[in-house]
Every structure is written in structure tokens, then in C-alpha cells.
Amino acid sequence: MHNGSLTTKIYVKEQTLSHKKSEEIYESAYKNGQSNAPSWVAAYEERRALVELAVRHFAATGSPLRALDIGCGTGVTTSWIGEIEGNYWVGIDTVDQETLKLHVPRHGTFLQGNFLDDTFVSQQTALQGTFDLIVDHGAIATSLQQSNELAHYLVRVAGHLKIRGVFALLTACNPEGVAYNEALPDGRQRRFFAPSDFAAEPFRKHFDLEHTQVITYAPSNPQNPYSKLENNDRPISIVHAILRKR
Ligand SMILES: C[S@@+](CC[C@H](N)C(=O)[O-])C[C@H]1O[C@@H](n2cnc3c(N)ncnc32)[C@H](O)[C@@H]1O
């Protein structure tokens, strides 16, 4: 019993430290612009195309979209949704709007805060009501290395999504093997998911998997965070999953 609670305390402390480090990395990346930034700040075209693909999953209905971008960053991949008449966009990020240089769209709201903070989330009127589309591109799921944290997060995401709504998720990935945990060269902890994970628990409890797409960056590609290491010979893959809420 005593050992159990001790372990829990150490674990929570480690989580807090890792979260703090991650926040510092993001703050500094947005402040310093692209010169010294992690690869994702500059490499947004693919991510925007993946969001467009997720939006096309609604094309048949043609109805207005309510979209939530968790960890929206600069908003460059999703905020265009909120420029379209009839749509509504909510972006949430722990970093402030000025540092992000985020332009909030005409039909949209930005919330500065932690999506994993129950008190913060419950106080936001913009998060009341459900969404048609929720995007998590490299924000939270890819940083959750413990299955219980992931399960908890998915309950939260599913709770904000309409039935038959789409969850567009982008994470680090191990294309041919099994999932594993590893830190990126800048220290951010990452879960490298196997694409098949999205069809299994804890995803399957809430979602049907409609589509996965793997993108691999060569060792020297500047969009590969390992390319900053001397003599790097390691590629990196990301996976985009389109999940439909049951
Ligand atoms: C890798 S960046 C991706 C930004 C954006 N989604 C994109 O594709 O350009 C991850 C973003 O998620 C934000 N973030 C990470 N954890 C978060 C949390 N718990 N709540 C809200 N935002 C978070 C970070 O501040 C950062 O802006």
C-alpha cells in the first residue's frame, strides 16, 4: 500500500516535469520563429492537407461544421475552417495567442489553457455542446505514453464529439512494428503508435477506424527532428488516423 502511493507520487511528479519541459519547448519555438524551431513549425502543408481530407469526410452531408483543434498552435492547419460562413472553430493551446501569432478566424474562438485540466475545460462555454470534427495533430495523444492516460484522454475527446463525428489524429509512428515510447532529441516524450493500434482498444471503445496514412521523413529531411543530430541515419514516421465516433 505504502509502496503503491509512493510510486504514484513519483509518477505524478515526473509527469509534471515532462509537461513543464514540453511547455517551455513550445513557448521558445513560437517565440524564436522558424530558425531554431522543431520541424513541425515549418512543415505544415502535409498536416493541413490531412485536415482537408478529414473535412472531406463530411462533404456528403454539406452541413456546417463545428471543429475543435486541440493544441492548435499557430492555427495554420485548421483555422481556415472558421473562415467559412456557417462553420465554427475553437482552438485551444497552453501557449498564449500573441506568442502563437494565431489569427482567430471570423467564426471562431481561441482558448488558452490545458485541455487535460478538468476545471479549466468545465469552465469554458465554447467547449459546451459537441463538435463534428476534433483535431489532435501532434498535441496530446502522441505525448501520452501510458495506456491509462490515453484511455482517459479518449473518453474526454469522445465526450466532446457528436455521434458519427470525426477525430483526426496525428502521432509519431512505428510503421511496421509495435508501439514504443521514446524521447525526441529535444526531450519531448513521444508514443510511437503502430497504425493498427487505432483499430484496437482503447480507441475501439469509442471509434471506428476509417483511414490511416503514414508519412516517412528521410534521415536528412529537415522535417525529421533527428536530422539535427550529427550523421543521423534514422528516418521518422508519423501516422494520420481518421476515426469516426460510434
Ligand atoms: C507539435 S505542436 C502542433 C501544433 C498544431 N497542431 C500543428 O499541427 O501545427 C503541439 C501543440 O500542442 C499544444 N499542447 C500540448 N499539450 C497541450 C495541452 N495539454 N492542452 C492544450 N494544448 C497543448 C502545444 O502548446 C503546441 O502548440
Side-chain angles (χ1 to χ4, degrees), residues 121-134:
V121 168
S122 65
Q123 287 168 345
Q124 305 307 315
T125 46
L127 292 178
Q128 284 164 11
T130 47
F131 291 86
D132 302 291
L133 172 67
I134 298 184

Side-chain angles (χ1 to χ4, degrees), residues 215-246:
I215 302 175
T216 299
Y217 298 107
S220 62
N221 189 317
Q223 297 180 17
N224 177 345
Y226 297 107
S227 68
K228 294 181 169 60
L229 305 177
E230 214 175 317
N231 301 323
N232 177 54
D233 60 359
R234 180 175 176 167
I236 192 169
S237 296
I238 55 174
V239 60
H240 189 242
I242 294 184
L243 297 145
R244 178 90 64 176
K245 183 175 163 181
R246 292 225 178 82

Side-chain angles (χ1 to χ4, degrees), residues 17-87:
L17 282 176
S18 136
H19 187 69
K20 275 254 156 289
K21 181 159 176 30
S22 190
E23 262 185 41
E24 283 164 20
I25 290 168
Y26 287 123
E27 285 264 355
S28 135
Y30 291 117
K31 276 190 182 133
N32 296 333
Q34 300 191 355
S35 55
N36 193 27
S39 44
W40 50 264
V41 173
Y44 60 84
E45 288 90 352
E46 291 99 336
R47 281 172 289 125
R48 176 166 167 150
L50 294 168
V51 171
E52 286 169 356
L53 179 71
V55 168
R56 281 204 291 278
H57 277 240
F58 295 98
T61 66
S63 53
L65 268 189
R66 275 174 57 83
L68 169 65
D69 186 349
I70 302 167
C72 62
T74 62
V76 70
T77 61
T78 60
S79 61
W80 59 273
I81 295 171
E83 298 292 355
I84 296 168
E85 206 57 45
N87 286 353

Side-chain angles (χ1 to χ4, degrees), residues 10 14-15 17 22 26 42 106 108 110 125 147 152 164-165 169 173 175 206 215 220 223 236 239 242:
I10 291 169
E14 279 171 358
Q15 279 297 107
L17 282 176
S22 190
Y26 287 123
R106 276 188 302 152
F110 171 69
T125 46
S147 57
H152 190 74
R164 307 304 294 155
L169 178 61
C173 148
H206 311 279
I215 302 175
S220 62
Q223 297 180 17
I236 192 169
V239 60
I242 294 184

